[in-house]
Amino acid sequence: AAEVTAMSTASPVANPTPTGRNAPGGELGTLSQDSVTQGKVGEILDLIASVESAGRYDAVYPERRRPQILDMTIAELIPDMRARGRATGSSASGRYQYIRKTLQGITSSMGIDINTTKYTPETQDKIAIYHLRLSHGLDNWLAGRMSNEDFLNKLAGTWAGIPNMSGVSTHAGVLDNAAGTSTQVALAKLGTIQGTA
């Protein structure tokens, strides 16, 4: 749905660089930047980012880079997202391509002070990890209490680049959303992460 509010003073990126699944290096496993989070959780974040943003923390829709967002507080980012949403049809921002309403909901639930917290790589990871724990069963999956198939379907419910068990994006038909990898490759990656010591 279109996001309609007042325009911000956000200025476009000069010579924006393509990013995302259609850019060179945007395929699963070939990230331009690893997660700042380590271990199995970092590998899950890398899986998501590989098909959402090619791993770039400054990625914005449609497959462009906007380094300015990394120095914005979340309160400053919200009007920037509104402006871009009006211009492009999506406000998706950052490594995990959160849209404005989702970002506002999660940060409110977390109790983050949006007036002082910047949208840094560390903040983006904290938001995604909180969301994975709250809505996707991350802790149950890590403990072996959720199957890879169920976890994949939960991830696909949020991130359009992750395929569901039917092999397609749950959000296909919205803008240019499509799965950025196959179900088999994604499941194999989850299995590898689960087997990591």
Side-chain angles (χ1 to χ4, degrees):
E3 300 174 11
V4 181
T5 51
M7 291 287 286
S8 76
T9 57
S11 57
V13 178
N15 301 314
T17 305
T19 184
R21 64 179 172 273
N22 296 324
E27 293 154 0
L28 187 61
T30 53
L31 292 175
S32 66
Q33 182 178 0
D34 289 337
S35 167
V36 296
T37 301
Q38 302 299 307
K40 290 183 180 183
V41 174
E43 291 184 67
I44 290 297
L45 295 178
D46 286 346
L47 168 62
I48 295 165
S50 70
V51 292
E52 290 292 328
S53 63
R56 295 178 175 96
Y57 284 98
D58 61 357
V60 296
Y61 182 87
E63 299 188 350
R64 295 291 182 263
R65 301 181 73 175
R66 183 162 171 70
Q68 298 95 319
I69 69 172
L70 301 178
D71 197 44
M72 292 179 185
T73 64
I74 294 169
E76 291 167 337
L77 178 64
I78 297 304
D80 185 78
M81 294 174 87
R82 282 196 190 106
R84 287 185 285 105
R86 290 182 64 177
T88 68
S90 174
S91 59
S93 301
R95 194 173 195 256
Y96 311 106
Q97 290 293 279
Y98 278 113
I99 60 172
R100 179 177 58 84
K101 289 181 180 178
T102 303
L103 181 66
Q104 287 179 293
I106 297 168
T107 54
S108 176
S109 177
M110 292 175 74
I112 286 178
D113 183 348
I114 64 170
N115 294 305
T116 59
T117 304
K118 292 190 175 183
Y119 203 54
T120 61
E122 292 78 11
T123 296
Q124 291 184 40
D125 277 18
K126 286 178 184 176
I127 291 167
I129 292 166
Y130 178 87
H131 193 200
L132 285 165
R133 286 190 163 131
L134 179 71
S135 303
H136 303 85
L138 175 63
D139 293 324
N140 282 334
W141 178 78
L142 287 170
R145 294 190 297 267
M146 179 186 292
S147 70
N148 290 343
E149 291 80 5
D150 286 346
F151 189 51
L152 184 67
N153 273 335
K154 286 184 176 290
L155 295 178
T158 296
W159 287 283
I162 298 286
N164 58 33
M165 286 304 297
S166 299
V168 297
S169 171
T170 303
H171 304 280
V174 179
L175 295 173
D176 57 355
N177 287 335
T181 189
S182 69
T183 298
Q184 292 74 21
V185 170
L187 284 174
K189 182 64 176 174
L190 291 179
T192 298
I193 296 169
Q194 275 288 40
T196 302

